Every structure is written in C-alpha cells, then in structure tokens.
Amino acid sequence: MKVRLSEFNENWAKLFHEEAEFLKTIFKDEIVRFEHFGSTSVSGLKAKPVIDMMCIVKDIHNVDLFNDQMHSLGYDVAGEWGIPGRRLFRKGGENRTHHIHFYQTDNPQIERHLIFRDYLRAHPEEVARYSRFKEELAQRFENTSEYSPAKKAFVREMEQRALAWFEGKRGTSMRDDRKCKGIIFDMDNTLLQSRIDFAAMKEDIFRHLVGHGMLTERFPLYEHTTSTMLEHAKKAGMDHTLYLSCLNIAEKHEVRGMEGAGLEKGVPELIESLFGKLVLVVVTNNSLSAALKALEVTGIKSYFDSIIGREQMEALKPSPSGFTYALNQFPAIAADEWISVGDSWIDGAASAGAGIPFISYRTSLEAMMDKGVRPIARIDHISEVRKWIYG
C-alpha cells in the first residue's frame, strides 16, 4: 500500500465520531467506550489519513460473534493481527479509511496508546519533530511495508519519554489544571467503617452455588471476591433466578453489617467541604436499599448527587458498569475529569475500565499493582483527597 502522508485535517475527529456512532448500532451493549488515538487524533501532526480508533469492550471474545456481519458490511476482519487480545477491523480496502482496534477493558495496550496520544497533545514541539521525521521517511519510502518498520525505533524512543512523562504526572496534584469536576467514592471501608463480614458472605454464597451444582468444592475461593466468584458462576451457566438468590444472601449480610456502622475519620468534613463544588457519587456493590439506609443513618446521604448500587450495574465491580452508569448520568463531565477513591483492587479495576483516575485508600500500591491496578496515588487519610483537587 502506498504511503499517503497528509497535513492534519480537522475533519478527522468528525470521521471518528461518525464511525463510533455507526459501530454502536452493531455492537450495542458490548461497547464500554471509544477512543480516537494515533496520529489523526493529535492536532497539527502529519498523518496517513486513516482513522485509528479503539473500541473498548467488556468481553473480547464476544467480538468474534460479529465477524460475519462486519465482513458483509465491507470491513476486513483481521483478528488479532499480531497483538494478543486485540481484534482488528479495517475499512476502505486499498483506499483505507479506518483501523478499528477492539480491546477488552483490562488490556494494557489501551493505556499504552492513550499515554502516547496524550503526551503528543501536551507537547507541540514533539508533534513538530515527529512530523518532520515522517516527512523524511515518506520521501525515502513509497510503500507502507517499508515506511512503517522504519518508524519503529523513533516511535519506541518517543513512547519511553511519554511513559516517563505520564509517571511524573502521577506524582503531581490535579490542581495543576483544575480539571477535577467529580469524585466517585466506594462506600464500605472508604466512607463507612463497614462491619460486613465479607468472608462469611462469600462462604455462604459459595455454599449456595455448590449446592446448586454451579461450583465444586475445589473452586479456589481464596483467589476470589464475592463479585468475581459470581462472574465465574455466570460464565458457568448460572441463571438469573439463582443469581438473584445469591444477591439476597449478600443483602442479609449487608443489612446486618451496616447496623451501627460509623463513618471513616474525616469523612463528614471532607464531604461537606466538597458539597456544591464537585459532583459527588457513590458506587457500591451493595444493594441500593442497604446503601441508602447506611448513608441516611450516618447523616451524609443528602450530600451525594447520585448513589449507585448493584441494581444499576450490569455486573458487580471489578466490572466498570457502575462507573459508566455515572458517566452517562453526568455526560458533561469527561472520564478524566473525575477521580475515584476506594480501598479495594476491584474499585481500581472498575475505575480504570471506565477511564477514570483512581486513588487507593489505605491499600498499598504494591497490592494494587499485583492485581493489575495502577492508582495515581495512595492515601492514608480520607482528607488527603483534597490535595489531589486543590493542592
């Protein structure tokens, strides 16, 4: 394929959005979000006029179910195309217009691509340098089969600088651009000093599932939370009736554990200071009724703009569905204009899946990273959230 290098075109963003809207009509609820990345997403950068876009989905394997339909619509179905966990579709034939990269929410390629994009957007001098390098290559090579490999070393070196820039940003306050507009809090052991016996809850639900033949005694219970165990049972064929009966068991533990629950130290002062200035949301795996009762009893319910329980989620955390529910409730606030705070890796994984920066409350960064979660910070006192907003 011939190298086609063009000046930046403002219309590329429009082409991305139009394609995203069309793909929504095909993949519907499989989609978590879209991201425009690659050279056509960076203002001022010369690029091949092919839109690179990410379609981030809940389950990458479900994408394969749409291959025949995509082929019938004229897309080239390329599978992984050398990158494990990806599904690539190409549009336009020899006059290529779009590369559509599907990734599951937990794929590390997502962060890699977005860090590089955001680094270029923040560094116009690097955009100019990259453009000059592309021009030089385009004069030397006619075909993309030679042009693309020749870029690799340059891009790899720039990606390293982008990663260093990103890691440096983790250590700076969000006050630098004052872009934080909303906070999503976990509830148990973040806002409230929960007395829920989570181990007993998990054991009771495990026994219930074993009794119904959905799990065996050999199931590695110690490796799972209640929510990940339930997701495992769903994949094993658990029907909705059995799922609801498991949630009823959970709710009994939740109601019992919320009796007499107090607030984490510093929560009333923090919430009161943020009220009316930021959008405040709670996302909890607890039932909505249990959450509303606990927040009412502790006197902080009225401070929150939204309280999202498991009934509003398609799946429990670590699924990002509760966070995407919040994003849909407040469409004027972009994902990177929120922060979320929680004590568990499932909070961090759910937050990352929705593209929202996450702060670990009391749990070590090492423990988070062992589960594939990369918080922007760790705090020991809930009041420290303020420094990530105002400094």
Side-chain angles (χ1 to χ4, degrees):
M1 188 174 292
K2 297 290 185 182
V3 174
R4 297 178 294 149
L5 198 61
S6 304
E7 296 291 337
F8 180 79
N9 189 332
E10 297 287 350
N11 196 46
W12 287 338
K14 179 173 178 284
L15 293 175
F16 160 73
H17 288 295
E18 287 176 348
E19 185 68 14
E21 289 302 313
F22 177 67
L23 291 171
K24 285 178 186 176
T25 68
I26 299 170
F27 291 89
K28 297 187 172 83
D29 292 341
E30 297 293 334
I31 296 168
V32 175
R33 73 181 197 276
F34 290 95
E35 293 283 356
H36 188 186
F37 75 107
S39 296
T40 61
S41 70
V42 179
S43 181
L45 182 58
K46 292 187 176 182
K48 299 190 299 294
V50 179
I51 310 300
D52 276 304
M53 53 192 297
M54 271 191 281
C55 183
I56 299 167
V57 295
K58 301 166 189 171
D59 189 334
I60 195 64
H61 299 291
N62 288 347
V63 175
D64 300 330
L65 303 176
F66 295 85
N67 284 350
D68 289 344
Q69 184 178 358
M70 291 292 280
H71 180 73
S72 71
L73 291 167
Y75 292 84
D76 175 28
V77 180
E80 290 191 332
W81 199 253
I83 299 179
R86 176 177 71 169
R87 298 295 185 272
L88 176 65
F89 296 89
R90 297 176 295 207
K91 184 177 183 180
E94 286 298 312
N95 295 311
R96 192 74 47 77
T97 60
H98 296 75
H99 286 162
I100 302 146
H101 309 249
F102 282 76
Y103 291 108
Q104 191 166 294
T105 53
D106 57 355
N107 194 303
Q109 292 291 337
I110 298 170
E111 185 176 55
R112 170 181 161 255
H113 287 307
L114 297 185
I115 288 172
F116 189 50
R117 179 198 69 184
D118 293 348
Y119 173 74
L120 288 173
R121 287 178 173 178
H123 295 84
E125 72 283 0
E126 290 284 69
V127 171
R129 189 166 75 92
Y130 194 12
S131 288
R132 288 194 299 269
F133 180 71
K134 287 185 172 190
E135 283 183 311
E136 293 170 5
L137 289 185
Q139 290 172 6
R140 291 169 53 196
F141 303 110
E142 288 187 4
N143 297 314
T144 56
S145 60
E146 299 171 302
Y147 172 86
S148 297
K151 286 198 310 177
K152 282 188 176 179
F154 182 93
V155 171
R156 191 179 301 116
E157 180 260 338
M158 188 172 277
E159 282 185 332
Q160 290 301 312
R161 286 202 300 280
L163 184 59
W165 166 79
F166 178 74
E167 295 294 348
K169 278 188 69 180
R170 288 182 185 276
T172 61
S173 168
M174 294 185 75
R175 71 181 184 278
D176 292 342
D177 52 15
R178 301 213 177 244
K179 68 178 182 179
C180 182
K181 297 179 181 178
I183 305 180
I184 297 176
F185 291 94
D186 176 45
M187 189 173 75
D188 297 319
N189 300 316
T190 300
L191 294 174
L192 272 58
Q193 294 175 338
S194 173
R195 297 180 181 180
I196 298 173
D197 190 337
F198 290 103
M201 176 198 295
K202 182 169 67 171
E203 178 70 23
D204 285 352
I205 294 174
F206 170 66
R207 291 295 163 200
H208 188 62
L209 290 170
V210 169
H212 283 79
M214 296 309 307
L215 298 177
T216 70
E217 293 287 350
R218 298 177 64 183
F219 181 77
L221 191 60
Y222 65 94
E223 295 179 1
H224 287 266
T225 65
T226 298
S227 59
T228 61
M229 177 176 64
L230 287 171
E231 285 305 303
H232 184 92
K234 279 184 181 179
K235 291 177 181 178
M238 175 173 63
D239 63 26
H240 190 61
T241 300
L242 180 55
Y243 178 66
L244 290 178
S245 67
C246 290
L247 296 187
N248 286 336
I249 294 171
E251 186 166 7
K252 290 176 182 177
H253 282 272
E254 290 161 1
V255 170
R256 191 183 311 130
M258 289 298 177
E259 292 176 358
L263 295 170
E264 288 283 311
K265 186 177 180 181
V267 163
E269 295 82 0
L270 174 68
I271 298 301
E272 186 173 348
S273 71
L274 300 176
F275 179 64
K277 299 172 184 174
L278 303 176
V279 172
L280 303 179
V281 175
V282 173
V283 174
T284 175
N285 277 354
N286 289 322
S287 68
L288 182 60
S289 60
L292 291 173
K293 181 178 179 181
L295 295 170
E296 180 74 46
V297 168
T298 51
I300 61 172
K301 173 177 168 287
S302 62
Y303 289 103
F304 291 97
D305 298 281
S306 179
I307 298 166
I308 299 168
R310 58 171 170 256
E311 293 86 352
Q312 286 75 49
M313 303 180 192
E314 295 174 9
L316 300 175
K317 294 185 281 188
S319 160
S321 62
F323 287 81
T324 54
Y325 188 93
L327 292 178
N328 290 333
Q329 280 189 311
F330 303 97
I333 305 178
D336 63 356
E337 294 175 324
W338 294 87
I339 60 173
S340 77
V341 185
D343 69 300
S344 172
W345 72 269
I346 64 172
D347 305 313
S351 185
I356 296 173
F358 173 68
I359 294 175
S360 174
Y361 178 54
R362 291 186 175 169
T363 301
S364 71
L365 294 180
E366 291 78 12
M368 288 288 180
M369 294 178 75
D370 282 347
K371 291 291 189 177
V373 175
R374 298 180 66 181
I376 60 170
R378 174 187 179 273
I379 59 175
D380 286 309
H381 194 283
I382 200 68
S383 64
E384 294 175 70
V385 168
R386 287 179 54 83
K387 84 172 185 179
W388 289 91
I389 305 167
Y390 304 119

